[in-house]
Amino acid sequence: MKSPKEEPDERLLIEAAQQDPSRFAELYEKNFDRVYAYIARRVRDRVDVQDLTSHVFHQALANIGKFKWRGAPFAAWLYRIASNAIADHSQRKSREQTLPDPHGSAPQDHAPRGDAFVEDVERSARLFSLVNNLSDDQRRVIRMRFAEDKSIREIAVELGRTEGAIKQLQFRAIENLRAQMGVKHA
């Protein structure tokens, strides 16, 4: 959760961006990982996640002048924009499909659901940013394995290493992330 000191700082950043749109970059940097993680948890295709994240920040910049400070984190406003963008994206995708869903599943509600939800998104954003602290090899393996959904064999071939070496890099990366997140290994 935000400390009392962070709220005035965030409010000042927002006011600065409202006066000078070039100052929006600070808000972008501060919130990118959160918004990306929020969208990535709801949209499977990595290209769509990137496009939607870009759209959210474009919309936020275009509408920063309309933002009214109400004491809620700026990220909550970004999540609402993201939620709407995801809903629009889902509607477009469903219209593009010619066959009905064989499972008959209902559309999901993408609205935030309280503190537990925000904490989950914050944890995902923190994990996403911690991946950048890994060694180059570990970071590459984690991204290929989990963001690009490649198999151990595919990664080994692409990186010119043995499958055992890739498994070891993945294991060490996950252990490093657990340690940084303060998660005990079960």
Side-chain angles (χ1 to χ4, degrees):
M1 299 308 307
K2 290 192 177 297
S3 71
K5 177 164 178 16
E6 286 182 64
E7 288 181 14
D9 290 345
E10 185 172 72
R11 187 174 186 170
L12 291 173
L13 287 174
I14 294 164
E15 290 170 357
Q18 288 174 325
Q19 298 299 315
D20 178 7
S22 68
R23 299 286 304 273
F24 185 79
E26 295 170 69
L27 289 168
Y28 172 85
E29 290 294 325
K30 185 176 178 184
N31 291 286
F32 176 83
D33 289 344
R34 290 181 186 139
V35 172
Y36 188 93
Y38 175 88
I39 295 170
R41 291 179 58 89
R42 287 155 184 76
V43 177
R44 297 236 183 258
D45 184 84
R46 189 169 48 97
V47 173
D48 288 342
V49 171
Q50 292 167 346
D51 289 346
L52 286 167
T53 303
S54 174
H55 175 75
V56 166
F57 283 103
H58 178 75
Q59 289 296 107
L61 177 58
N63 293 295
I64 190 72
K66 298 176 186 175
F67 180 83
K68 301 278 189 255
W69 180 260
R70 293 187 175 102
F74 183 70
W77 187 58
L78 295 173
Y79 293 151
R80 177 54 52 202
I81 295 170
S83 179
N84 291 335
I86 291 166
D88 292 345
H89 171 76
S90 296
Q91 287 175 349
R92 270 194 315 277
K93 285 282 192 187
S94 68
R95 281 194 303 258
E96 291 172 4
Q97 292 178 344
T98 56
L99 298 174
D101 183 350
H103 305 292
S105 60
Q108 295 180 0
D109 176 13
H110 299 289
R113 289 181 175 82
D115 289 343
F117 170 81
V118 171
E119 287 175 18
D120 190 36
V121 171
E122 293 283 337
R123 191 173 29 259
S124 295
R126 182 167 177 241
L127 178 61
F128 182 78
S129 67
L130 289 175
V131 169
N132 291 327
N133 296 337
L134 296 172
S135 72
D136 289 340
D137 287 339
Q138 289 177 0
R139 182 175 52 249
R140 195 171 328 144
V141 168
I142 291 297
R143 286 195 174 141
M144 293 171 84
R145 185 81 170 111
F146 298 106
E148 298 173 21
D149 202 27
K150 292 185 177 184
S151 70
I152 297 290
R153 175 173 286 156
E154 290 171 318
I155 298 168
V157 169
E158 192 168 322
L159 298 181
R161 297 209 173 166
T162 66
E163 289 181 38
I166 299 304
K167 287 177 184 177
Q168 189 66 2
L169 281 167
Q170 177 180 309
F171 175 79
R172 287 186 183 138
I174 290 171
E175 288 299 308
N176 285 339
L177 292 171
R178 279 187 179 131
Q180 291 180 60
M181 294 286 290
V183 175
K184 302 237 189 292
H185 184 46

